[in-house]
Amino acid sequence: MEENMKGFEKYQKTYFMPPVDCYDWVKKDAIDHAPIWCSVDLRDGNQALVEPMSLNEKLEFYQMLLEIGFKHIEVGFPAASDTEYRFLRTLIERNMIPEDVTVQVLTQARDHIIKRTFEAVDGAPNAVVHVYNSTSVAQREQVFRKSKEEIKEIAVNGAQMVYELAKNVKGNISFEYSPESFQGTEMDYALDVCNAVLEIWKPTKDRKSIINLPTTVENAIPHVFASQVEYISKNLKYRENVLLSLHPHNDRGSGICDAELGLLAGADRIEGTLFGNGERTGNVDIITLAMNLHSHGVENQLDFTNMKKIVKTYERLTGMQVSPRQPYAGDLVFTAFSGSHQDAIAKGMTFWEEGKRTVWDVPYLPIDPKDVGRTYDSDVIRINSQSGKGGVSYVLKRNYGLSIPYRMREELGYLVKDVSDKKDQELSAELIYEIFKKNYRDVEKKFDILECHFQQKDGIDAAVTIEQNGNKTEVFGHGNGRLDAVSNALKAHFKIEYELTDYEQHAVSRTTSSKAMSYVSIMVDGQIIWGAGLDEDIIKSSIYALMAAINRSGLL
């Protein structure tokens, strides 16, 4: 018998609940507006890369963030390295910071680091100086070996220094404070430290401050974090003049939940990265958060309409890879291979396109892929050995304008599935179309029809010129329609028996000129056999379809 995993005995919860109940967030069922988004890709994300971005790469990434629509961008830790310092100075000296954009810089609450930070930020039109120190029990006891009062004094002194230095630099400077390792800090103590910082800054309506609550190492269940956020939100001093910000990490895989529940609990602002890049398991993914709002009908204030370009640029500049299952952005997130899923999507898309819905609710598609620049043709339904008749029909309809008859779909689906099984790979739309043509339209000819002439006489008389083995013969038939008359002529000439069972036709909308596609089935000894024909003349296309079915039937 296998043993269970060991080691759990040494763990216990390391987070702190608020001293009073804070569960008002539970009563809310939706986030009704977007938070202020702050990208920390150029700081938190960059420091997590195996090879941090160069100056030019950071400049390109920064430009992408502006194009997406970020108004708060943390551009680095300028006191940490010459590259970080030069990057910020480049943005300022080249006038690359738009008037409606605020750059943010990070600094520890240490005197020489704060001074260097202000040298870097001097002249920025709008900037946030983000000062932090760790307040958790573990950090106080193990790293700093300081008391609560001593840790609080570090925060207050840092707040005082940034407040004083801001008076001596050009530009509009505002302040942010983070009690690092917030979840591992006693809630009443975290509140006390934040309020002490706010007493130094005394934020006003025109000069708001930011209090940022980081899940530096995510260690609480999301509903606990929501209660922690609500407690701080309800008890902060100067609350109407404070932007309450969240900085979730993803150690438990709950970063998105933390952020969403935190917004319900009163937060105004989110710090995160594209695709969740960050140390360890990463930061909260702003793309997922923003698109979650989008999927609930809330304008998210960011532009992800060209998601593929964003993915490509991100991967090139960071050396990271976006998972094919990354929400909203991965190559496969809108793709259905399963036959039942494909069938539901195809029917749902038809329902949507017929205008029977004004609110998007297509099965298996949480958003319209077009919103992020994806296409139905190549992204939604893709065919492999798991696919079914609905998916195959959808691909042919989308790419080639073919409306495969319902009774023909199962057989075609199995033909495609068999090819995929043997090739052990996904099939392109082009190959699926070739399978259709080879099996139903461009079949091996045991005979050919060269021309037909019709005369209406108590129904339809048909004179049909056929070619077989190099010999031409004119044969005759009578029927209640042209196709029936040709069919009867062929039956009589070849002395064969079958029943003409189905006939469908439609205009082909995605080919040059206006051609008609016809589908004809015949029944031979209880078996249905299909053929297809294409021609500019609808009668010829139906005759070609009948001829294909007979040629496939084995009757000759």
Side-chain angles (χ1 to χ4, degrees):
M1 180 180 292
E2 295 183 2
E3 293 186 1
N4 293 327
M5 182 176 177
K6 301 298 184 182
F8 63 89
E9 302 92 343
K10 63 178 173 282
Y11 300 106
Q12 61 180 358
K13 71 179 185 70
T14 55
Y15 54 84
F16 292 86
M17 292 295 294
V20 295
D21 287 346
C22 290
Y23 296 119
D24 286 349
W25 60 269
V26 178
K27 304 170 188 175
K28 302 175 184 177
D29 64 356
I31 301 167
D32 58 11
H33 65 280
I36 297 169
W37 303 108
C38 177
S39 161
V40 295
D41 290 270
L42 298 172
R43 199 275 303 171
D44 217 342
N46 187 55
Q47 76 179 23
L49 299 177
V50 176
E51 294 184 14
M53 288 182 278
S54 67
L55 175 62
N56 287 335
E57 287 172 334
K58 289 189 76 172
L59 288 171
E60 185 178 352
F61 203 111
Y62 169 78
Q63 190 60 45
M64 178 174 67
L65 294 173
L66 292 180
E67 291 171 0
I68 291 171
F70 284 98
K71 301 303 180 185
H72 285 207
I73 301 174
E74 190 166 82
V75 295
F77 198 139
S81 72
D82 183 58
T83 300
E84 298 279 285
Y85 186 94
R86 287 189 299 115
F87 174 60
L88 177 55
R89 292 311 307 165
T90 299
L91 295 180
I92 295 170
E93 292 164 8
R94 293 184 185 177
N95 297 316
M96 296 179 67
I97 305 172
E99 291 184 3
D100 63 344
V101 171
T102 298
V103 294
Q104 181 171 304
V105 292
L106 186 69
T107 176
Q108 292 173 326
R110 299 170 63 186
D111 291 3
H112 69 285
I113 296 178
I114 292 174
K115 290 177 181 178
R116 179 66 169 166
T117 301
F118 272 93
E119 292 174 9
V121 82
D122 189 20
N126 295 290
V128 170
V129 175
H130 179 187
V131 62
Y132 75 96
N133 69 306
S134 190
T135 58
S136 69
V137 174
Q139 293 266 18
R140 294 197 316 260
E141 293 179 350
Q142 300 173 39
V143 180
F144 299 105
R145 301 193 178 189
K146 293 182 181 293
S147 67
K148 284 184 175 181
E149 284 305 314
E150 289 173 313
I151 294 295
K152 178 180 173 181
E153 185 179 3
I154 293 173
V156 169
N157 289 343
Q160 186 67 51
M161 176 168 277
V162 299
Y163 182 78
E164 294 300 329
L165 290 178
K167 299 175 183 178
N168 302 317
V169 297
K170 298 175 184 176
N172 179 30
I173 305 295
S174 54
F175 311 117
E176 175 175 349
Y177 173 71
S178 288
E180 190 191 5
S181 303
F182 165 73
Q183 287 189 328
T185 305
E186 306 92 332
M187 289 297 105
D188 54 350
Y189 176 62
L191 176 66
D192 182 40
V193 174
C194 291
N195 279 335
V197 168
L198 291 174
E199 283 293 358
I200 301 297
W201 292 340
K202 291 183 171 56
T204 64
K205 181 180 179 181
D206 298 325
R207 191 187 179 101
K208 293 186 176 183
S209 295
I210 301 170
I211 293 295
N212 185 56
L213 305 179
T215 63
T216 309
V217 176
E218 185 189 32
N219 56 19
I221 303 174
H223 81 282
V224 171
F225 182 58
S227 294
Q228 292 171 333
V229 172
E230 184 175 311
Y231 173 73
I232 299 295
S233 179
K234 287 180 174 179
N235 292 282
L236 273 181
K237 293 183 178 180
Y238 306 98
R239 180 63 182 93
E240 69 278 8
N241 300 324
V242 173
L243 295 176
L244 185 58
S245 180
L246 307 180
H247 184 106
H249 278 253
N250 199 43
D251 300 270
R252 292 170 55 90
S254 305
I256 297 295
C257 295
D258 284 344
E260 292 190 330
L261 297 187
L263 289 172
L264 291 178
D268 309 299
R269 183 176 182 267
I270 295 289
E271 294 187 349
T273 59
L274 302 183
F275 310 110
N277 177 42
E279 290 188 289
R280 304 181 310 279
T281 53
N283 289 52
V284 70
D285 176 12
I286 283 184
I287 292 178
T288 299
L289 270 174
M291 292 306 301
N292 283 354
L293 291 180
H294 181 87
S295 72
H296 281 184
V298 178
E299 186 176 5
N300 64 35
Q301 307 296 328
L302 299 175
D303 184 2
F304 298 114
T305 53
N306 195 345
M307 190 72 81
K308 285 189 176 181
K309 179 182 178 183
I310 294 170
V311 170
K312 184 178 180 180
T313 303
Y314 167 85
E315 291 184 331
R316 175 170 53 82
L317 295 178
T318 66
M320 301 289 286
Q321 287 189 322
V322 174
S323 166
R325 300 297 181 186
Q326 181 81 13
Y328 303 106
D331 280 347
L332 299 178
V333 295
F334 299 113
T335 300
F337 290 110
S338 160
S340 61
H341 287 202
Q342 290 176 344
D343 185 59
I345 290 172
K347 290 173 180 175
M349 289 299 304
T350 299
F351 216 66
W352 172 259
E353 290 166 355
E354 290 173 350
K356 295 179 179 178
R357 282 285 191 272
T358 57
V359 175
W360 181 268
D361 62 350
V362 173
Y364 300 111
L365 292 179
I367 67 165
D368 186 344
K370 286 185 176 179
D371 293 351
V372 290
R374 304 288 287 271
T375 64
Y376 302 131
D377 294 352
S378 60
D379 289 317
V380 176
I381 290 180
R382 290 161 58 176
I383 305 301
N384 64 13
S385 60
Q386 303 301 308
S387 304
K389 59 186 180 182
V392 171
S393 300
Y394 181 88
V395 168
L396 291 174
K397 175 68 173 178
R398 280 288 173 185
N399 290 274
Y400 300 100
L402 303 186
S403 296
I404 304 299
Y406 182 79
R407 293 180 64 183
M408 182 182 180
R409 292 177 186 178
E410 185 171 8
E411 178 184 309
L412 175 58
Y414 279 118
L415 287 171
V416 172
K417 186 189 295 281
D418 183 61
V419 173
S420 181
D421 264 332
K422 290 176 180 176
K423 288 180 173 289
D424 195 24
Q425 67 182 39
E426 179 185 349
L427 302 185
S428 67
E430 291 82 1
L431 183 52
I432 294 168
Y433 185 49
E434 288 303 316
I435 293 170
F436 166 78
K437 290 196 297 181
K438 176 182 177 181
N439 285 278
Y440 295 102
R441 205 186 85 189
D442 302 336
V443 300
E444 180 183 357
K445 293 181 179 179
K446 297 179 175 62
F447 75 98
D448 197 1
I449 295 178
L450 303 181
E451 59 181 322
C452 295
H453 298 282
F454 301 98
Q455 184 176 2
Q456 188 166 352
K457 185 178 181 182
D458 296 327
I460 299 293
D461 286 333
V464 183
T465 301
I466 64 172
E467 182 180 41
Q468 187 178 31
N469 299 324
N471 299 315
K472 296 179 183 179
T473 306
E474 187 174 38
V475 298
F476 302 91
H478 181 82
N480 56 21
R482 296 185 181 188
L483 184 63
D484 188 46
V486 172
S487 175
N488 290 333
L490 297 176
K491 287 180 182 180
H493 175 71
F494 291 118
K495 297 181 174 56
I496 56 178
E497 289 295 329
Y498 63 82
E499 180 185 350
L500 194 62
T501 53
D502 290 277
Y503 166 51
E504 295 186 25
Q505 57 81 27
H506 63 79
V508 178
S509 57
R510 294 197 176 189
T511 58
T512 57
S513 73
S514 54
K515 291 188 177 182
M517 177 65 76
S518 295
Y519 311 88
V520 170
S521 71
I522 61 175
M523 181 180 290
V524 180
D525 296 330
Q527 180 183 2
I528 297 294
I529 299 160
W530 285 92
L534 181 68
D535 195 85
E536 294 180 5
D537 183 279
I538 191 171
I539 301 301
K540 287 184 179 179
S541 74
S542 63
I543 292 171
Y544 294 157
L546 173 62
M547 181 175 64
I550 296 173
N551 276 315
R552 295 184 68 228
S553 69
L555 288 169
L556 301 182

